[in-house]
Amino acid sequence: MEPTVGAQNERGMEGDGRKQHSASYTAASGTVAAGGAGPAATAVGGGDGRHALVPLEDFPVLNRTMRGKPVAYLDNGATSLTPRRVIEAEADYYRELSANIHRGVYQLSEEATERFDRARRLLAEFVGAESENQVIFTRGTTESINLVGYAWGRNRLKPGDEILTTELEHHSNIVVWQEVARETGAALRFIPVDPETTALQVDRLDEVLSSRTKLVAITGMSNVTGYRPPLRRIIEAAHQVGARVLVDGAQLVSHHPVDVSSLGADFLAWSGHKMCGPTGIGALYGKADVLDEMPPFHYGGDMITRVYRDHATYADPPQKFEAGTPNIGGAIALGEAVEYLTNVGMERIAAHERALTAYAFEQLSRFPDITIYGGTDIQDRAGIVSFGLGDVHSHDTGMILDGEGVAVRAGFHCAQPLMRLLGIIGTVRAGFYLYNTAEDVDRLVASLDKVREIFG
Amino acid sequence: MNLGDSLYKEIILDHYRAKKNRRRMEDADLVREGANPSCGDDIELFLKLDGTTIEDCSYEGVGCSICVASANMLCEGIRGKTIDEARELGVKFRTMLTQDGPADFPEEAEDLEAMQGVKKFPVRVKCALLAWTAFEQMTAE
């Protein structure tokens, strides 16, 4: 995979950045920090969104029905569907090996270790980590953020320090920091958000970022509106005041090429199940120096070098942070998912989603009773459309869509602060992935008539 | 087959749109908030008592159609009843939704039967029960 996120110039909000970006898109890749896949017209393999990027047969769930209808799966913001070969990779581990890793002196364990370590290498390469030792397996984004909160935040922060986050965050990237702030006496501050576009008011960064800021915890892509903050710019500003930056990559990593080493983030957290992998497995990337200076997160087996009666010494990263037998089958399957996505190409996936998002914006904008949250400027948005239909509660809309075989998310999406900012209690959210097509959008739009029929 | 249609019966939508009971009661004797953290439903239930008789009942808040319609049905169904009678009705309603109990409600509360379809949608059962749970809690003593 070509390096991407943040590898190129930061695109501002101005138009010429886009031009520069689309040129670089064909040359190298879609750059997350530079606004994704460029104009939807870039016909990079199915970039028009009309056809899925992969055979639908790859996904068993797409071959079943929901409420008696073919499945239009648009809840990718919550979790992605699992391709057959990922399911097989996990099953194969249990079928062929089922042995523990690292300490076994027999062939089954050796092979299991080999597959597990390979998965870590694939993951490290996928996000552009300098070394595979900087990728720690966790249960997912939430645990990754908690790891940083417990092992770094609690030990490093003190009264007078500040943690800077945003109202765009998923609860997992707010609540952890509320607790860390409460325990350490640090203060929690927020980068202002424009409620119309849900874009961060980066021009006002100076108002909230200072030498007191020790950590910036920020999403790489909103799980509600698909908005992508200008990460490179924020990271550079944070580093100038000596703050560390944690990027919540739950949405970003699954939908965009990411090159974390050129992006410069100190931490990147993400989940396997949003990128065609299984649930219960994810990862945390950390810069080598910060991982070295952090104490362990959990204590126990596998994370030590020597244990005495009254003390122990700890292994180097990543083992230092991986106490106990990990989710071996899940890790191996996630490695398989990485290969699956890499074969398709993250640039193509980003372009495909961008085309589908633009199409969904276009289709939904035709109806005066539909409100699209965050506006419809495609420039810094991707993969997700959040909307409301009249004053119908999102759960009612979601339920009626379910009856039509259309799977969407309804509610507040673990982002209550953003809902409050938007002045709503919830949205209907459709998110796209490599197996979605314009037909899925058409079915969504057509099914909304059903909602109008019932609630009109 | 379209289960969505069978859930959204006209009778439920009528209760959802009804405004009569959707009001804050300033002189309520009992007030109780009910919230469904997983879906953002959040209502407040108000009771005006005359001894042990429910003289008036109203609700306020936000919720999906099932939640709001159920709160409205509750208000209509329990007004004029004693607390014990109303609680009994609540048990019957809950039993219908959670244990496949019979839907033989008294005439003044017969609309509750329309909620029967909700039991096919486990995630919505708690929407239908939100107001009733608040009522049970506020009248527990």
Side-chain angles (χ1 to χ4, degrees), chain A residues 89-112:
Chain A
E90 176 137 10
D92 281 348
Y93 160 72
Y94 291 102
R95 227 171 357 228
E96 299 165 7
L97 304 170
S98 211
N100 212 329
I101 51 167
H102 291 153
R103 290 171 315 278
V105 292
Y106 49 92
Q107 187 185 354
L108 296 179
S109 175
E110 263 172 31
E111 286 181 24

Side-chain angles (χ1 to χ4, degrees), chain A residues 67-69 391-400 402-404 410-412 416 425-426 450 453-456, chain B residues 1-5 7-8 10 13 16-17 36-41 62-66 120-121 123-124 127:
Chain A
R67 310 290 181 206
K69 305 207 163 119
D391 60 357
V392 181
H393 193 285
S394 62
H395 280 170
D396 288 321
T397 304
M399 244 354 240
I400 294 164
D402 162 57
E404 301 300 307
F412 51 73
Q416 286 179 343
I425 52 169
K450 203 89 188 176
E453 226 172 80
I454 292 172
F455 283 91
Chain B
M1 185 178 62
N2 190 328
L3 295 168
D5 284 348
L7 179 61
Y8 294 103
E10 202 52 49
L13 295 171
Y16 171 56
R17 294 182 187 115
N36 244 337
S38 63
C39 50
D41 291 348
V62 291
C64 64
S65 60
I66 302 299
K120 282 181 285 187
F121 303 92
V123 292
R124 302 304 289 274
C127 308

Side-chain angles (χ1 to χ4, degrees), chain A residues 241-260:
Chain A
V241 299
R244 297 282 189 183
V245 180
L246 175 142
V247 174
D248 170 357
Q251 301 293 334
L252 182 72
V253 172
S254 43
H255 298 286
H256 282 272
V258 172
D259 182 31
V260 72

Side-chain angles (χ1 to χ4, degrees), chain B residues 3-118:
Chain B
L3 295 168
D5 284 348
S6 72
L7 179 61
Y8 294 103
K9 291 185 196 309
E10 202 52 49
I11 197 159
I12 290 181
L13 295 171
D14 285 346
H15 279 277
Y16 171 56
R17 294 182 187 115
K19 295 279 181 275
K20 184 180 149 200
N21 302 309
R22 196 166 192 166
R23 58 191 153 86
R24 171 163 288 276
M25 198 190 290
E26 296 302 342
D27 58 344
D29 294 307
L30 293 173
V31 181
R32 181 86 189 193
E33 203 181 352
N36 244 337
S38 63
C39 50
D41 291 348
D42 197 346
I43 62 158
E44 235 178 324
L45 195 61
F46 305 93
L47 287 188
K48 178 89 187 132
L49 299 175
D50 179 7
T52 57
T53 303
I54 298 161
E55 194 184 305
D56 194 14
C57 179
S58 71
Y59 72 95
E60 202 184 54
V62 291
C64 64
S65 60
I66 302 299
C67 166
V68 169
S70 184
N72 196 65
M73 286 182 187
L74 176 137
C75 294
E76 293 289 303
I78 70 172
R79 191 173 292 119
K81 285 191 164 50
T82 66
I83 288 177
D84 284 347
E85 288 165 348
R87 286 176 65 88
E88 218 170 284
L89 185 66
V91 169
K92 199 174 249 305
F93 183 61
R94 184 179 293 274
T95 309
M96 174 184 82
L97 289 179
T98 60
Q99 290 164 47
D100 234 356
D104 52 345
F105 297 102
E107 202 184 329
E108 70 279 6
E110 64 185 3
D111 287 359
L112 289 172
E113 188 192 337
M115 284 283 178
Q116 216 173 359
V118 175

Side-chain angles (χ1 to χ4, degrees), chain A residues 167-172 174-175 223-224 411-426, chain B residues 35-42:
Chain A
E167 286 158 290
L168 296 173
E169 305 306 312
H170 186 282
H171 292 164
S172 59
I174 292 187
V175 181
N223 73 315
V224 176
F412 51 73
H413 318 297
C414 291
Q416 286 179 343
L418 181 58
M419 294 298 118
R420 229 161 269 136
L421 195 74
L422 294 169
I424 53 177
I425 52 169
Chain B
N36 244 337
S38 63
C39 50
D41 291 348
D42 197 346

